[in-house]
């Protein structure tokens, strides 16, 4: 199919526009999302002009009510896409997200669906300081009833956001801020590509070690894989989870059974992060079959500091993935692989 | 007490609804005290005029949001008492398949978006339902019930403000029964009444005698009609009282017997009954028959509840996701 | 030292009273905590009468402001003990807890301490339904800057609450509702016993399998251990974490190195729960030394339903711990141990 | 413009503080635009009269809470511009050891409880600081600064209400600069002004010309004195304007050039300077000298900031816990 190069921002904007075009019950609600501002990060630019200010509503600074209104709209026939400006600000809306959105279908005994999408951006890497850099996907993975999606490329961004909007369940959709300007091929609008939720994507095949990650760290994992190939002759398989909850155990386990070495990497805090769940699951599932070597990469146990050198010390990147892959292979007694260095 | 303009036959029907709520609550309390019902139970006895007076103006496809003390709202909106009892028992046949219980009864088929265990949480949800209605150009409205305790939550402020700025079709109904658990409302709110708060949101507000069905009917009619014709939200404060403690079993040591007695003397049911007798719409025998009918209906509903099918344990894993 | 039998409720109340007596900067803030109510669960009964209504303040239903006011008081010379009525309602106060309390010391570059205690009760087991039964300690363990404490006995309850109040950092103190009426020995008030935060407690020694747990599940683990001893001749060591974050790796690892089989059990949801972090850590630390067999016990992936049989199906108890211990030993090739059954 | 009752020498000192804020913000913007400062930067140019007029009544051991747009508040409370620049550069020698940056500057030694990146979050924190003061019988007060955008947060409602019911010694200062990012305040709040909201909380409120130092001084004096003598909180709405966009670099496409020009014509500094000239407290030369002195001070502070010691990476793991 024909493709163009778009930025992540443009790809997400197209997804919103196409879904609004397709389904009149889709509407947007969030702070500063109307034109001429078009969103703090310009993802919604042009949409209020095109679809009107009822379908693109500029909310007051009221995160609890933004998500709460999304819940109320979702259970009454709309497909709201609400925007909370930073991951950190979801903290203000946790009751509506966790005790309402995630539980209403269940509490009702299945009477109703809650087709709510909560878009949200953030993450480290911009010296935004402790209150504007958190990654909290692990919290939401601990909450039955929610789905958690994190795209890593423009193409996935568009196809996953479309899937999230069409999904009957509440989806928290995390957009890594550092990726908004990243470019990549995206099929033409006519293609209407929708990515399945719950399916990981192998972004790079490899036989020696598996790197499981998502979001902004996918590009870093690919870079790490290049370095491992170049410097060590090690072929890393990079798996982009895409959906963090429910996560795709089959793809991860299949890759692990092949490579027998695993790195789970995220920029969220290591303690209590998704890496713990994934690592524990792989140990449980695979320990009896093969020798298991797993390394978890995640942020050190501190808030994300402001100064660039401090932030870089706390939050892992390419280096840490490379080091973890090497350590894993060494521990697995496959240091021979690394000897080619 | 006003009400001369209302059709007495209609008031008989509304009276029946009030009696139904009373009977439901008394039966539920009895069962709970016997240990037949799991979980918690919050009774709305004494507050019946508010939900009945507000829901009197709602159609089946109008919507309501409710609270932890929700039986009255839900019955007033037309729910089936048997399926409610089934849920209180935790039966598979209950409204929520036994997953919700008293605090979470929902019936989307008649616009009951849910009782809610989180104080204040229904307020933004009601605003969002209002967005759905407004966006599709519907003339349906949402009645959003909450207690005096909810007024101090951030959710109240954010939700009412959102409805106000977009003129959403929502009627906010504060049932000020004077207490949030043990806390007297006047100790946590210095506003003389909610009409002052309404001004802060730039919307109309009314202070209403919540024990007077006719007063509630009149204020609710204005508010519902305003919302229906696109005039935006209204904030009603209905002053009332809960006869029981916060929950069934609460000894309510925080209030005096005299206070309780003075409010019982203003029983909202008795007031309506007196009016109906006065109007000749019911005689004493007719009133007794009505009560007996309703009590039999509730008795049957409670028995149906007790006989409900127990849920299969594995059904606990259903309904987590729709897709 | 002389001891009496107290309920958990009484022991916690004594801790509050003794700390208020000791330090005039300690005060309480929460909904319905004043007399004659004395708290929804009566923990604070008598304290407003004894210490006055300025030191025991009845808050409006404003969880964000309750915790926020605690933060403001804590950084200005007070030692607030705020009460949020249910674990679930912490969702409303997450910004104040996570982006303020946990980060202020750090963001200030160490200028100030935040000696805030947030008391909170909840958990499953009472048909309280989906919005009043959650256990969310894993969220807080993912947040650097917070400490998380969960007592399991009256004695620990008192000694840990005193420690939390005296601690210079924000502590989330979870009181398992089902334990309020449980009785146990507590040293006399004069003893001023304070338990160290961050130290686990071996509640039952054993050589065959380690059960790591906390809170309401400790009693279940002890019961499971009795059954294992009786029915299988297996001696389980029961470790009560007491402090869930930072958790006591040394004690857990030492026990595991001895028993070489581990069950991590909690009633919180299994996916993304503390069990994942503990299991992953033990695998990482011990895999190269010994064969590792670990089982995670946690709630199934659903909200906590209302009907008792549904709740019991979702939330694990004694049965699940026993089964997990047996499975672990079997997988470890030590089924021989179980043969004594 | 009032102000006749104020000692001109004192007003010269307050003017100096306003000039210092202006100079600091202009220098910071310059450095930021050159790419010398990491992170975000929010400028308070145009709003100087509010923090200076309020903090004029505060002593060193009175307290303030601030916002993402906090430089003005913090300087007005007496912070050291050099340590502020050091922090903007992310230096180990900055107020926050490089861990906070512009949005989180704190100086507990002079009662600056912190700038805050979360809109509205400082409001309950200020209430809590008020509890500390009240409980220890202190006559110290807290000034709590926040923007118009914070008024629609739940934290505002809960925090102000809590201060109101307990008559805490807090002065709530809303800097209504008309916009929250791109959102005009009138589109998200139907109240004509915050005095209406104050009534809802049962506390005094005043609407103040926030570009007029004397108007701010007068209203703040009343509010601070009320708080000091145990009279409880006041809500001040100070109408003002930010000259820059929301952040340095924001093209501010959401407002017109005319609007900006009309507010620049009401420059709060120029107004005070005119008064001082009129009173003869400063002549033009003296005014120019004052400016030059302050600019030199800020230049030196900025240079000190640039020369600061970089933090050791491992120091990122310090200060997470105190014990
Ligand atoms: C956010 C939140 N905080 C606290 C509670 C505990 N709680 C349940 S009902 C209640 C009192 C509610 O008072 P009000 O709103 O006046 O309703 P009423 O019970 O009087 O009908 C409280 C504090 C809760 N459910 N939700
Ligand atoms: C709770 C929260 N929501 C959103 C934001 C993003 N944000 C930062 S400043 C701002 C506008 C604040 O407006 P206002 O309070 O009027 O202050 P001003 O910027 O005008 O000084 C917004 C929306 C935030 N920091 N915190
Ligand atoms: Mg009440
Ligand atoms: Mg503003």
């Amino acid at each position: 199919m024909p493709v163009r190069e778009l930025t992540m921002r443009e790809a997400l904007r197209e997804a919103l526009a196409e879904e609004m075009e397709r389904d009149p019950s889709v509407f947007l609600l969030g702070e500063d999302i109307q034109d001429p501002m078009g969103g703090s990060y310009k993802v919604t630019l042009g949409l209020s002009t095109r679809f009107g200010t009822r379908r693109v509503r500029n909310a007051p600074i009221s995160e609890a009510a933004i998500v709460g209104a999304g819940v109320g709209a979702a259970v009454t026939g709309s497909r709201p896409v609400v925007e909370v400006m930073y991951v950190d600000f979801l903290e203000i809306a946790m009751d509506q997200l966790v005790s309402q959105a995630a539980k209403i279908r269940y509490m009702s005994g299945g009477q109703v669906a809650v087709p709510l999408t909560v878009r949200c951006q953030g993450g480290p890497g911009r010296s935004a300081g402790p209150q504007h850099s958190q990654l909290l996907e692990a919290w939401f993975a601990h909450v039955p009833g929610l789905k958690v999606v994190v795209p890593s490329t423009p193409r996935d961004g568009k196809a996953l956001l479309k899937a999230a909007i069409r999904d009957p369940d509440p989806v928290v959709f995390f957009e890594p801020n550092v990726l908004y300007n990243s470019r990549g091929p995206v099929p033409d609008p006519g293609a209407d590509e929708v990515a399945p939720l719950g399916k990981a994507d192998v972004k790079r095949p490899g036989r020696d070690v598996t790197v499981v990650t998502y979001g902004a760290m996918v590009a870093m994992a690919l870079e790490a894989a290049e370095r491992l190939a170049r410097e060590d002759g090690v072929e890393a398989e990079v798996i982009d989870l895409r959906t963090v909850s429910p996560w795709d155990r089959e793809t991860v386990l299949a890759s692990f059974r092949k490579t027998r070495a695993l790195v789970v990497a995220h920029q969220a805090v290591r303690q209590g992060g998704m890496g713990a769940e994934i690592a524990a699951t792989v140990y449980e599932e695979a320990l009896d079959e093969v020798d298991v070597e797993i390394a978890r990469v995640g942020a050190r146990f501190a808030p994300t500091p402001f100064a660039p050198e401090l932030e870089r010390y706390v939050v892992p990147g390419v280096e840490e993935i490379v080091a973890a892959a090497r350590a894993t292979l060494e521990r697995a007694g496959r240091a021979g692989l690394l000897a080619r260095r | 007490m006003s009400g001369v303009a209302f059709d007495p036959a209609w008031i008989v029907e509304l009276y029946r609804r009030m009696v139904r709520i009373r009977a439901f609550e008394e039966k539920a309390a009895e069962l709970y005290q016997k240990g037949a019902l799991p979980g918690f139970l919050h009774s709305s006895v004494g507050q019946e005029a508010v939900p009945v007076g507000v829901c009197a103006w709602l159609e089946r496809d109008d919507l309501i949001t409710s609270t932890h003390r929700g039986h009255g709202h839900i019955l007033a909106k037309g729910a089936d008492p048997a399926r409610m009892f089934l849920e209180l028992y935790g039966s598979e046949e209950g409204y929520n398949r036994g997953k919700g219980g008293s605090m979470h009864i929902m019936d989307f088929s008649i616009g009951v978006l849910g009782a809610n265990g989180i104080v204040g949480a229904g307020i933004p949800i009601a605003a969002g339902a209002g967005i759905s209605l407004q966006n599709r150009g519907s003339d349906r409205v949402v009645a959003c019930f909450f207690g005096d305790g909810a007024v101090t939550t951030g959710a109240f402020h954010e939700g009412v403000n959102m409805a106000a700025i977009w003129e959403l079709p929502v009627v906010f109904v504060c049932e000020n029964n004077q207490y949030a658990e043990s806390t007297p409302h006047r100790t946590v709110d210095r506003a003389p009444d909610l009409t002052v708060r309404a001004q802060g949101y730039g919307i109309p507000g009314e202070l209403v005698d919540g024990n007077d069905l006719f007063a509630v009917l009149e204020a609710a009619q204005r508010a519902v009609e305003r919302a229906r014709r696109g005039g935006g939200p209204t904030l009603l404060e209905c002053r009332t009282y809960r006869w029981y403690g916060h929950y069934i079993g609460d000894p309510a040591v925080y209030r005096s017997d005299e206070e309780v007695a003075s409010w019982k003397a203003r029983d909202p049911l008795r007031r309506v009954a007196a009016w109906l007798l006065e109007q000749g719409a019911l005689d004493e025998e007719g009133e007794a028959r009505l009560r007996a009918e309703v009590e039999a209906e509730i008795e049957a509903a409670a028995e149906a509840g007790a006989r409900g099918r127990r849920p299969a344990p594995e059904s606990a894993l259903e309904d987590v996701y729709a897709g």
Side-chain angles (χ1 to χ4, degrees), chain A, chain B:
Chain A
M1 55 194 146
V3 293
R4 306 134 308 146
E5 288 265 318
L6 294 184
T7 62
M8 174 70 93
R9 174 182 290 111
E10 290 161 345
L12 295 169
R13 190 187 296 144
E14 271 196 4
L16 294 171
E18 288 176 22
E19 292 307 299
M20 291 181 80
E21 195 65 64
R22 231 187 113 248
D23 181 348
S25 79
V26 175
F27 74 93
L28 315 185
L29 172 62
E31 292 159 23
D32 299 291
I33 64 175
Q34 284 178 359
D35 297 330
M37 185 75 167
S40 275
Y41 292 98
K42 309 281 177 235
V43 175
T44 55
L45 194 68
L47 298 180
S48 68
T49 303
R50 179 160 162 205
F51 294 102
T53 53
R54 283 214 166 157
R55 290 187 66 198
V56 182
R57 291 185 186 240
N58 240 24
I61 305 181
S62 302
E63 282 78 8
I66 289 169
V67 176
V71 173
V75 297
T76 53
S78 300
R79 286 192 179 264
V81 183
V82 308
E83 177 175 323
V84 169
M85 212 183 268
Y86 274 79
V87 173
D88 313 72
F89 312 162
L90 285 174
E91 290 163 2
I92 299 168
M94 288 303 275
D95 170 62
Q96 288 292 342
L97 206 44
V98 172
S99 283
Q100 313 296 333
K103 296 185 173 49
I104 285 183
R105 176 178 177 73
Y106 189 79
M107 294 191 295
S108 79
Q111 286 179 51
V112 76
V114 187
L116 168 67
T117 302
V118 180
R119 289 181 48 239
C120 198
Q121 66 80 38
R126 305 187 308 137
S127 277
Q131 292 178 332
H132 286 69
S133 303
Q134 288 177 101
L135 290 170
L136 300 172
E137 57 275 1
W139 285 2
F140 301 101
H142 193 44
V143 178
L146 294 180
K147 294 175 180 171
V148 182
V149 173
V150 192
S152 72
T153 66
R155 179 174 181 165
D156 280 355
K158 182 173 176 186
L160 288 167
L161 182 51
K162 291 179 73 129
I165 294 171
R166 294 186 200 179
D167 195 84
D169 295 309
V171 178
V172 191
F173 191 90
F174 289 112
E175 303 171 4
N177 184 295
V178 294
L179 297 183
Y180 276 139
N181 291 325
S182 69
R183 296 194 154 271
V186 178
D188 274 355
D192 194 31
E193 189 178 53
V194 180
L197 299 189
K199 285 297 296 170
D201 186 44
V202 178
K203 284 281 188 302
R204 181 190 198 278
R207 61 170 187 260
D208 299 324
V209 56
T210 300
V211 181
V212 173
T213 187
Y214 49 87
M217 242 196 171
V218 172
M220 299 177 209
L222 291 171
E223 198 181 321
E226 290 308 315
R227 273 192 52 192
L228 287 164
R230 207 168 52 238
E231 300 176 13
D232 302 310
V234 162
E235 288 304 325
E237 177 147 301
V238 176
I239 296 183
D240 177 3
L241 277 188
R242 302 201 296 188
T243 299
V244 168
S245 182
W247 61 282
D248 183 351
R249 296 158 154 251
E250 288 65 38
T251 301
V252 172
L253 284 166
S255 174
F256 177 74
R257 291 200 167 97
K258 178 174 67 175
T259 63
R260 300 187 342 275
L262 178 65
V263 174
V264 198
H266 50 62
Q267 294 192 304
V269 171
R270 189 178 189 276
Q271 175 168 304
M274 275 310 290
E277 178 63 34
I278 295 169
T281 302
V282 174
Y283 283 118
E284 286 157 3
E285 298 290 325
L287 198 58
D288 292 340
E289 308 161 31
V290 291
D291 278 353
V292 175
E293 286 301 341
I294 307 186
R296 283 190 285 157
V297 172
R300 295 176 200 261
F301 205 61
T304 314
F306 165 69
E309 53 269 72
L310 299 180
E311 182 173 28
R312 180 63 190 84
Y313 184 75
V314 169
V315 179
V318 177
E319 281 304 329
E320 285 78 3
I321 298 173
V322 170
R326 287 178 179 155
T328 306
L329 290 169
E330 265 160 28
R331 281 209 315 267
R334 290 193 277 152
L337 264 180
L338 300 171
R340 278 173 268 166
R341 261 193 259 187
Chain B
M1 197 186 297
S2 149
V4 271
F6 295 113
D7 173 9
W10 188 54
I11 301 299
V12 170
E13 168 55 23
L14 298 187
Y15 180 61
R16 181 182 294 273
R17 295 183 197 169
M18 291 172 72
V19 173
R20 184 178 294 125
I21 295 172
R22 175 76 52 95
F24 183 96
E25 294 289 38
E26 294 293 12
K27 187 73 204 174
E30 179 197 318
L31 293 170
Y32 187 83
Q33 273 158 333
K34 282 202 314 208
L37 306 180
F40 315 137
L41 197 71
H42 304 95
S43 165
S44 70
V45 167
Q47 308 186 180
E48 297 87 348
V50 183
V52 170
V54 171
C55 294
W57 305 107
L58 303 183
E59 306 292 329
R60 188 183 165 94
D61 52 357
D62 289 312
L63 309 171
I64 69 164
T65 63
S66 174
T67 69
H68 59 287
R69 200 177 302 288
H71 303 156
H73 313 133
I74 293 164
L75 285 165
K77 190 65 176 58
D80 172 5
R83 289 196 63 202
M84 289 175 68
F85 272 117
L86 282 158
E87 188 59 31
L88 299 196
Y89 272 99
S91 163
E92 159 73 25
E93 295 161 292
Y95 266 117
N96 313 43
R97 303 188 64 199
K99 291 174 181 169
S102 162
M103 254 192 305
H104 304 289
I105 296 179
M106 306 182 187
D107 185 352
F108 282 83
S109 72
I110 56 167
V112 175
L113 306 189
N116 204 314
I118 307 298
V119 171
I123 298 172
I125 292 175
I131 296 175
S132 274
L133 298 174
Q134 189 180 67
N135 277 8
R136 77 171 76 106
S138 162
D139 66 353
R140 297 299 88 196
V141 305
V142 190
C144 170
F145 293 96
F146 54 92
D148 50 287
V151 172
T152 59
T153 65
F156 166 86
H157 180 64
E158 294 190 358
V160 173
N161 186 59
M162 193 173 270
I165 60 173
W166 293 330
E167 301 185 330
L168 299 175
V170 185
V171 179
F172 292 106
V173 184
C174 176
E175 295 177 302
N176 181 351
N177 62 9
Q178 329 281 335
Y179 291 89
E181 297 211 1
S182 71
T183 302
H185 187 62
R186 62 172 191 288
T187 66
V188 293
D189 184 351
R190 287 165 64 119
D193 59 62
L194 268 185
T195 64
V196 186
R197 288 271 161 83
Q199 277 172 43
Y201 300 110
I203 60 172
E206 282 196 57
L207 179 62
V208 183
D209 178 350
N211 276 25
D212 176 353
L213 176 68
F214 301 105
V216 176
L217 280 172
E218 287 174 8
Q221 183 178 30
R222 283 187 287 273
V224 169
E225 287 315 310
R226 182 178 297 121
R228 250 193 233 302
R229 57 158 209 273
T234 305
L235 190 47
L236 301 179
E237 173 176 348
C238 303
R239 290 260 168 95
T240 182
Y241 202 77
R242 57 165 156 75
W243 288 13
Y244 282 93
H246 173 57
Y247 51 88
I248 299 296
D250 170 13
V253 288
Y254 44 81
R255 60 187 197 181
S256 69
D257 292 345
E258 298 75 55
E259 184 181 292
V260 177
S262 83
W263 280 93
K264 286 194 174 172
R266 301 169 54 203
D267 182 350
L269 268 65
R270 196 147 2 107
R271 286 184 177 195
V272 182
W275 185 87
L276 289 171
L277 291 174
E278 206 180 285
Q279 297 281 314
L282 273 185
D283 56 15
E284 295 204 351
E285 195 193 331
E287 200 271 339
R289 194 167 47 232
L290 181 153
R291 280 186 182 269
E293 283 164 14
V294 172
E295 268 156 32
E297 175 200 342
I298 292 300
E299 197 60 45
E303 276 164 29
R307 285 193 314 268
R309 195 169 63 244
R310 299 310 304 169
E314 317 78 52
S315 72
L317 302 186
E318 295 163 9
D319 305 320
V320 181
Y321 293 100

